[in-house]
Amino acid sequence: MKTLIYFASLILAISIGNAQSSSNSKVSISYSNDEPGEKNYKVNISISNTDDIYSLNASFPSAKTEKLKRFLKDHLDTKMTKNGTMSTWNYVTKGEMGYTIKLKKGKLNVLLNKEHISVDLVENLIDMFSDLKDIVKE
């Protein structure tokens, strides 16, 4: 039953995350697996999508961090920089920050400035972020 509620909430979050409306959309999803005989874990995802900014903050089992890092390296054109335990991808266009993605053990923070990147890139990135749910939930 928890899985069904999780997927229904996730579908709602993705739809709102993909909406290109003139309003501010905010969605928070929390999921924990406490089924007997299965490994316990918690996933929290918060998405905010306005006309100008898209942000995503997620916390997930820290064991998924390396798999998520490989996924981001494979799907982002920008070069990753490392500062201690944090991996960062920054995309700058015409001197303005287009997006910043920060990944550290068990945490992901994304900030897209829609005013400084193309609509196609925004849509591609939001679609990519919707695929992350499979990685952090596995």
Side-chain angles (χ1 to χ4, degrees), residues 120-133:
D120 289 339
L121 182 56
V122 169
E123 290 175 1
N124 289 341
L125 289 169
I126 291 174
D127 287 344
M128 181 191 75
F129 297 132
S130 70
D131 293 340
L132 297 178
K133 71 184 181 314

Side-chain angles (χ1 to χ4, degrees), residues 41-126:
Y41 61 88
K42 292 182 181 182
V43 174
N44 294 306
I45 301 171
S46 176
I47 299 169
S48 177
N49 192 11
T50 68
D51 287 342
D52 303 329
I53 302 290
Y54 172 91
S55 66
L56 178 146
N57 295 303
S59 62
F60 49 87
S62 57
K64 302 294 180 185
T65 305
E66 283 304 314
K67 191 171 185 180
L68 190 55
K69 184 192 292 185
R70 283 192 304 274
F71 177 86
L72 291 168
K73 282 175 138 179
D74 291 344
H75 289 85
L76 293 171
D77 292 334
T78 55
K79 186 175 181 177
M80 180 193 78
T81 58
K82 194 146 172 85
N83 184 4
T85 60
M86 185 179 301
S87 300
T88 305
W89 291 262
N90 290 315
Y91 177 73
V92 178
T93 179
K94 298 177 186 170
E96 300 289 341
M97 185 62 68
Y99 64 75
T100 299
I101 301 168
K102 296 179 181 179
L103 175 68
K104 61 183 177 180
K105 195 170 188 174
K107 302 247 184 247
L108 175 68
N109 301 96
V110 174
L111 182 64
L112 304 179
N113 188 333
K114 295 179 184 180
E115 294 182 334
H116 300 295
I117 55 179
S118 71
V119 173
D120 289 339
L121 182 56
V122 169
E123 290 175 1
N124 289 341
L125 289 169
I126 291 174

